[in-house]
Amino acid sequence: MTQQDKWYFQNILFGLLGGWIFAAIWFLMGVLFYITFIGRPAAKCCFLIARFAARPYGRVIGVTGDYSFFWNTVWMMFMAIPWIIIFTYIAALFTATLVGLPIARIYLRLAGLVAAPVGMQLERQLEDWQWQRGR
């Protein structure tokens, strides 16, 4: 079984354990923001979070060149604080069991992405053999 097969099954399991709900919520929030002209940058962040919530395994979060401390601060004040609390609480619930630790880690990564999504991008995670060859 390859690493991509493992990520595929882990993504399905994460979706069944609530990931699809958060992906749908963030997608709908992005659609609502996109309707207004002013909300289009926020919609881009919502769609980024929805894509990560839909398939978190096999992806890493990277910083682009347009990272903005100001807009991340504005995002934090108006959007992020309740979601950070929700994702942290869910991670704490999954931490109660040993089996739920990998899923708790994904929810903590989601909380980190929600905290500062402006200037972030999703990248494919390289497999172990690609890291060893330096690709």
Side-chain angles (χ1 to χ4, degrees):
M1 180 177 254
T2 66
Q3 185 67 34
Q4 289 185 351
D5 293 337
K6 291 178 187 175
W7 288 334
Y8 178 76
F9 290 117
Q10 288 171 330
N11 283 327
I12 289 175
L13 179 64
F14 183 76
L16 292 174
L17 293 174
W20 69 272
I21 294 171
F22 292 114
I25 289 171
W26 281 102
F27 179 79
L28 291 176
M29 285 178 21
V31 169
L32 291 175
F33 276 122
Y34 197 78
I35 291 172
T36 66
F37 182 74
I38 296 171
R40 290 192 179 178
K44 182 180 175 184
C45 294
C46 290
F47 291 141
L48 174 78
I49 296 167
R51 280 194 354 241
F52 184 74
R55 291 185 337 160
Y57 289 99
R59 292 183 170 189
V60 292
I61 302 165
V63 178
T64 63
D66 59 349
Y67 181 81
S68 172
F69 179 76
F70 173 74
W71 288 115
N72 277 324
T73 305
V74 171
W75 175 271
M76 177 74 79
M77 289 189 303
F78 293 109
M79 289 286 294
I81 293 175
W83 286 102
I84 291 171
I85 293 169
I86 290 168
F87 287 143
T88 306
Y89 178 73
I90 293 172
L93 290 177
F94 277 110
T95 305
T97 65
L98 193 60
V99 177
L101 286 176
I103 295 173
R105 196 175 112 219
I106 293 298
Y107 276 110
L108 290 176
R109 286 176 61 195
L110 263 170
L113 180 61
V114 168
V118 178
M120 298 294 176
Q121 69 180 3
L122 295 179
E123 301 170 356
R124 276 189 61 228
Q125 183 174 347
L126 299 176
E127 294 186 29
D128 292 337
W129 65 271
Q130 291 172 323
W131 284 106
Q132 292 171 358
R133 289 188 172 194
R135 290 186 186 184

